[in-house]
């Protein structure tokens, strides 16, 4: 048994050309929901109805307003249409919003349509033929050029059955929407149902939706749960792409979700306030676009004010296309290949639209970066998913996960996973800690590691080398790949690791040049101070060097001259031997000693005695019990 096909049909056309009456004639549903719409006899907002075709195809019809004041509502309902019923009244012919609505449909990539000549009963056959000729001329070069033309009367019902038959024929050509990708439900309405809470409606753009699914409300980034799902007013176990869907989300208040928001599978999409795109200006547009041109930007069900910046030219003329970056005053949640519409800022009128290329540009476009920007966008314009991934990984090493590539490629998570695995197997990308790196990243990381260590040896020749974690931090390298780089460098005989420090193979620390004088002065000073040693910070002042250099000198004396470091003090080895001798003498006449006895024996203050005793505890010469010391293992 063949499964049902689901599609979305939209209306388009000038005000008072009979779109709502046509939908009622087709479905029996009056899509004017508001009291104001009924009172004024004019559609203001989106209306929805269901049409079942003889072959079992179920169509959701989106009825849009025709008045120029409500064009933004029309655009919100025109996204994702499989087919449009393009309405032209036989008694009026082509009118201003007829042209504007056609531009919208063209900009949104609508592929199929039927031209419906309404009010057939109001004109003579000869006049009807003239209108058909006008429509034929009007639609040349558009997706409606070879579309069927059906004349109907919603008042008498004439032509309605023929229209249903033609809709069914065109519906057979419609390819089902993708159900294997992530879920995307652009919100066009939200309202409260007593006893259930908030209900959100929209046309399911991709994926599947079941009761109990976790969803992410974007751009807010809030995770919510779908309690129940309906399609055309009936509860269903699952809604699929292409269906008009209502979902009960009791976690949200009605005010917290609005038209323009998006419900999506959690964790895949990010909002943005700018997009890189191809913008085509309508041939009927009466403007020339230059960088900074203000527009109303329409994406899915959302409208945001923005500015257009031209990437590959200085100005955009009517009928031409250009690479652009559109910077927005609010956030949208785009995916590669999404369509959009732009309206002139003031007076507001549709001037064109296009297709999203990079949905998350790396920064703001500047004219001096034009060539680099075009190079970055090249794989997007070629619609090559593999090339897009490789270019992004090259430009953003370590900043993208396979999950994030869904937004950049419009592939399903499974398709992205297979692509990444293939590129990984071909050694064209590296994957570490769920992030992607270019194939030559490891080679570069090894080279940068050696360079950094070499610079450290040159700058501080008295130290073994920089700390391992310090090197990784400076290189901002992932732990897994850094450890692999160090391991390979050691296997290649280029690197040695000693007590957490890294050094080039064969390097031996030695005081050279000015360092030799610093070491000699420091050694002499510390030996002279004996049991009243300086702190390293005090030593820095004495040597008139930065603390960093004083610590390097102290480390050299500790490692190569046997000096001792404790509590920031630096003590000569013979001074410590004197302290140990004093301990032995004290313990020869008693089992326990106090800090006071120790300091008096050595003629030093508590400032030196306390940290020195604590250091002797660590070395095992003493062992603290309360406020006293007993012999440590090294004195027994």
């Amino acid at each position: 048994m063949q499964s049902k096909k689901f599609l979305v049909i939209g209306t388009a056309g000038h005000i008072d050309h009979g779109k709502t009456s046509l939908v009622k004639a087709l479905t029996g549903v009056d899509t004017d929901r508001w009291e104001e719409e009924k009172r004024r006899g004019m559609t203001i907002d989106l209306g929805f109805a269901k049409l079942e075709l003889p072959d079992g195809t179920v169509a959701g019809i989106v009825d849009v307003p025709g008045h120029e004041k409500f064009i933004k509502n029309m655009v919100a309902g025109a996204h994702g249409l499989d087919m449009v019923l393009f309405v032209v009244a036989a008694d009026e012919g082509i009118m201003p919003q007829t042209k504007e609505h056609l531009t919208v449909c063209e900009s949104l990539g609508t592929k199929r349509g039927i031209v419906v000549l309404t009010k057939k009963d109001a004109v003579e056959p000869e006049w009807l033929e003239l209108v058909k000729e006008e429509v034929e001329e009007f639609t040349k070069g558009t997706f409606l050029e070879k579309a069927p033309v059906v004349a109907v009367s919603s008042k008498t019902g004439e032509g309605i059955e023929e229209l249903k038959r033609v809709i069914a024929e065109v519906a057979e050509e419609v390819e089902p929407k993708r159900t294997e990708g992530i879920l995307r439900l652009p919100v066009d309405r939200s309202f409260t149902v007593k006893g259930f809470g908030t209900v959100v409606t929209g046309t399911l753009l991709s994926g599947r939706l079941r009761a109990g699914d976790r969803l992410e409300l974007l751009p807010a980034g809030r995770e919510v749960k779908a309690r129940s799902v309906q399609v055309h007013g009936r509860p269903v176990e699952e809604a699929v792409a292409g269906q008009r869907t209502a979902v009960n989300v009791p976690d949200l208040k009605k005010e917290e979700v609005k038209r323009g928001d998006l419900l999506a599978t959690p964790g895949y999409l990010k909002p943005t306030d700018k997009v890189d795109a191809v913008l085509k200006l309508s041939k009927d547009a009466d403007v020339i676009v230059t960088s900074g041109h203000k527009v109303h930007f329409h994406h899915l069900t959302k409208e945001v004010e923005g500015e257009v910046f031209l990437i590959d030219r200085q100005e955009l003329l009517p009928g031409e296309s250009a690479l652009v970056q559109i910077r927005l005053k609010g956030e949208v949640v785009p995916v590669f290949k999404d369509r959009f519409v732009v309206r002139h800022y003031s007076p507001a009128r549709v001037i064109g639209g296009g297709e999203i290329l990079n949905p998350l540009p790396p920064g703001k476009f500047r004219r001096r970066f034009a060539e680099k920007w075009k190079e970055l966008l090249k794989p997007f314009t070629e619609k090559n998913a593999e090339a897009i991934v490789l270019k992004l990984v090259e430009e953003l090493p370590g900043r993208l996960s396979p999950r994030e590539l869904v937004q950049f490629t419009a592939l399903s998570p499974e398709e992205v996973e297979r692509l990444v695995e293939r590129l990984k197997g071909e050694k064209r990308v590296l994957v570490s800690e769920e992030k992607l790196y270019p194939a030559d990243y490891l080679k570069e990381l090894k080279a940068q590691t050696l360079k950094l260590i070499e610079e450290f040896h040159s700058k501080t020749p008295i130290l073994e080398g920089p700390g391992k974690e310090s090197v990784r931090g400076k290189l901002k390298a992932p732990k897994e790949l850094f450890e692999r780089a160090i391991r390979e460098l050691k296997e290649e005989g280029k690197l040695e690791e000693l007590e957490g420090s890294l050094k080039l193979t064969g390097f031996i620390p030695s005081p050279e040049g000015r360092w030799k004088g610093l070491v000699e002065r420091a050694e002499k000073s510390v030996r002279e101070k004996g049991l009243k040693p300086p702190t390293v910070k005090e030593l820095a002042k004495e040597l008139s060097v930065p603390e960093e250099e004083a610590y390097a000198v102290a480390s050299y004396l500790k490692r190569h001259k046997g000096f001792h470091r404790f509590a920031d003090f630096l003590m000569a080895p013979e001074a410590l031997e004197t302290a140990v001798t004093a301990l032995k003498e004290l313990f020869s006449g008693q089992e326990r000693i106090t800090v006071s006895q120790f300091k008096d024996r050595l003629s030093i203050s508590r400032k030196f005695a306390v940290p020195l005793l604590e250091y002797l505890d660590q070395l095992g010469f003493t062992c603290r019990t309360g406020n006293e010391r007993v012999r440590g293992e090294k004195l027994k």
Side-chain angles (χ1 to χ4, degrees), residues 232-292:
H232 297 299
R234 293 183 180 179
V236 294
E237 290 185 5
E238 178 183 72
V240 298
Q243 290 183 317
R244 283 292 308 168
T245 305
V247 54
N248 179 209
V249 278
D251 300 343
L252 294 171
K253 295 178 182 177
K254 175 182 175 292
E255 299 76 24
E256 293 176 320
V257 56
K258 58 188 179 300
R259 176 175 293 175
D261 287 343
L262 180 75
L263 287 174
T265 304
Y268 286 95
L269 303 179
K270 293 180 180 177
T272 179
D273 62 358
K274 56 185 174 296
V275 295
D276 289 347
V278 174
L279 170 63
K280 181 176 182 180
L281 207 57
S282 167
K283 59 182 174 54
D284 297 321
D286 56 355
V287 296
I288 295 176
V289 172
T290 57
S291 286

Side-chain angles (χ1 to χ4, degrees), residues 114-138:
I114 301 169
V115 177
V116 183
L117 301 181
T118 55
K119 304 185 182 181
K120 178 182 180 181
D121 59 291
V123 298
E124 297 298 324
E126 294 79 7
W127 182 263
L128 187 62
E129 288 304 314
L130 289 174
V131 174
K132 285 182 179 179
E133 290 176 11
E134 182 187 23
V135 167
E136 185 178 331
E137 182 65 27
F138 172 67

Side-chain angles (χ1 to χ4, degrees), residues 95-116:
M95 298 291 283
Q97 262 55 62
T98 314
K99 298 176 181 179
E100 194 166 33
H101 283 206
L102 182 58
T103 299
V104 170
C105 293
E106 287 266 277
S107 298
L108 294 178
T110 309
K111 291 184 173 64
R112 293 174 180 82
I114 301 169
V115 177
V116 183

Side-chain angles (χ1 to χ4, degrees), residues 514-576:
R514 60 184 287 271
W515 288 100
K516 183 177 181 181
L518 290 175
V519 168
E520 290 174 351
R521 287 168 58 198
E523 181 178 358
K524 180 181 179 183
S525 175
V526 174
R527 290 187 189 281
E528 287 176 351
K529 290 181 171 60
L531 290 167
K532 298 177 181 178
T535 63
V536 179
K537 290 181 180 180
E538 290 170 343
L539 190 62
K541 291 180 180 179
E542 186 179 331
L543 297 174
S544 300
V545 296
E547 289 181 8
E548 181 182 350
E549 292 188 4
Y551 278 103
V553 169
S555 294
Y556 178 83
L557 291 174
K558 179 175 183 280
R559 187 179 291 274
H560 298 280
K561 297 283 187 173
F563 280 54
H564 298 272
R565 279 275 309 278
F566 57 90
D568 203 43
F569 289 109
L570 183 63
M571 178 176 278
E574 61 269 21
L576 189 76

Side-chain angles (χ1 to χ4, degrees), residues 15 37 41 85 102 164 222 252 281 306 356 383 387-388 544 548 551 556 632 635:
I15 184 174
E37 290 178 312
L85 299 179
L102 182 58
K164 287 182 180 180
R222 180 175 170 183
L252 294 171
L281 207 57
I356 304 291
K383 294 182 169 53
I388 289 171
S544 300
E548 181 182 350
Y551 278 103
Y556 178 83
L635 288 184

Side-chain angles (χ1 to χ4, degrees), residues 565-607:
R565 279 275 309 278
F566 57 90
D568 203 43
F569 289 109
L570 183 63
M571 178 176 278
E574 61 269 21
L576 189 76
E577 289 175 10
T578 300
V580 172
T581 299
L583 279 177
K584 291 177 180 178
E585 293 172 354
L586 283 169
F587 280 125
S588 64
Q590 59 196 66
E591 293 295 321
R592 296 170 180 270
I593 65 169
T594 64
V595 173
S596 294
Q597 290 172 325
F598 181 69
K599 74 179 183 66
D600 291 345
R601 183 76 178 202
L602 294 175
S603 300
I604 58 176
S605 67
R606 289 181 66 87
K607 170 187 172 181

Side-chain angles (χ1 to χ4, degrees), residues 166-209:
V166 175
I167 290 174
E169 289 175 357
V170 176
E172 289 180 4
E173 303 170 8
V174 174
E175 295 180 7
K177 287 187 170 63
R178 288 165 55 90
T179 58
E180 67 272 21
I182 62 167
L183 178 144
R184 286 204 294 163
L185 181 69
V187 176
D188 53 41
R189 278 199 300 163
S190 67
F191 51 90
T192 302
V193 175
K194 191 173 182 181
F196 289 89
T198 300
V199 173
V200 170
T201 71
T203 299
L204 198 54
L205 205 58
S206 62
R208 301 171 179 269
L209 176 59

Side-chain angles (χ1 to χ4, degrees), residues 347-363:
R349 60 189 182 278
V350 175
I351 57 172
E355 188 173 50
I356 304 291
L357 296 178
N358 189 341
L360 300 171

